[in-house]
Amino acid sequence: MIIYGTALLALCHLLGIFLGDLLGQLMGVKTNVGGVGIAMLLLICARLYMQRRGWLPQMTERGVEYWGAMYIPVVVAMAAQQDVVAALRGGPVAVLAAIGSVLVCGAVISIINRMENPRMENPAAAEADSMLIKEHRHA
């Protein structure tokens, strides 16, 4: 059953590469534009869809999780290496754009984390905390 997870990853990868090439052609460039990212999004969507329908046995899900965990770091490392080489060849504007995008992503993640209220995620824990505070005040 784990092999089905690998097959799902392979299908998403092939479809992502095809769509990335198609997107590149539509944009007028002769390269794959976001194929790996599209593949990962397809894998996530397919996994969620299959889980909701009850079509994803536990062993198949383990295969998807394993390859998803292996796939992301390898692809990110490969893409990062290519982007750095291309940015250094492209000149200072490309390097500044790369640095700016990292800073903006970091800022957005920070804002999202600050907007999250951990007490709202678990109302029972929030109520228990408030009870402890009240008991502490009366003691």
Side-chain angles (χ1 to χ4, degrees):
M1 290 301 237
I2 293 176
I3 194 73
Y4 294 139
T6 306
L8 181 62
L9 172 70
L11 179 68
C12 291
H13 180 73
L14 290 173
L15 190 57
I17 296 300
F18 173 75
L19 292 173
D21 286 339
L22 187 64
L23 184 60
Q25 288 176 357
L26 291 173
M27 293 176 67
V29 294
K30 294 180 181 179
T31 187
N32 185 305
V33 178
V36 173
I38 293 169
M40 287 310 298
L41 290 173
L42 288 172
L43 181 64
I44 291 167
C45 291
R47 186 176 132 221
L48 291 174
Y49 178 80
M50 291 175 72
Q51 276 180 332
R52 288 186 185 139
R53 301 275 183 197
W55 297 345
L56 194 63
Q58 183 67 25
M59 292 300 287
T60 303
E61 186 174 355
R62 286 185 186 168
V64 172
E65 288 174 2
Y66 173 77
W67 284 112
M70 292 296 291
Y71 189 68
I72 293 171
V74 170
V75 170
V76 167
M78 289 172 28
Q81 179 184 5
Q82 290 175 347
D83 291 343
V84 169
V85 171
L88 292 175
R89 287 186 185 155
V93 173
V95 173
L96 290 174
I99 292 170
S101 66
V102 169
L103 293 175
V104 168
C105 286
V108 169
I109 290 171
S110 176
I111 290 168
I112 290 171
N113 284 336
R114 288 183 183 154
M115 288 173 41
E116 235 177 53
N117 187 354
R119 293 180 185 247
M120 295 304 291
E121 291 177 7
N122 191 351
E127 186 176 328
D129 286 345
S130 66
M131 294 292 283
L132 286 174
I133 292 170
K134 288 177 185 175
E135 286 179 16
H136 187 290
R137 286 183 190 162
H138 294 298

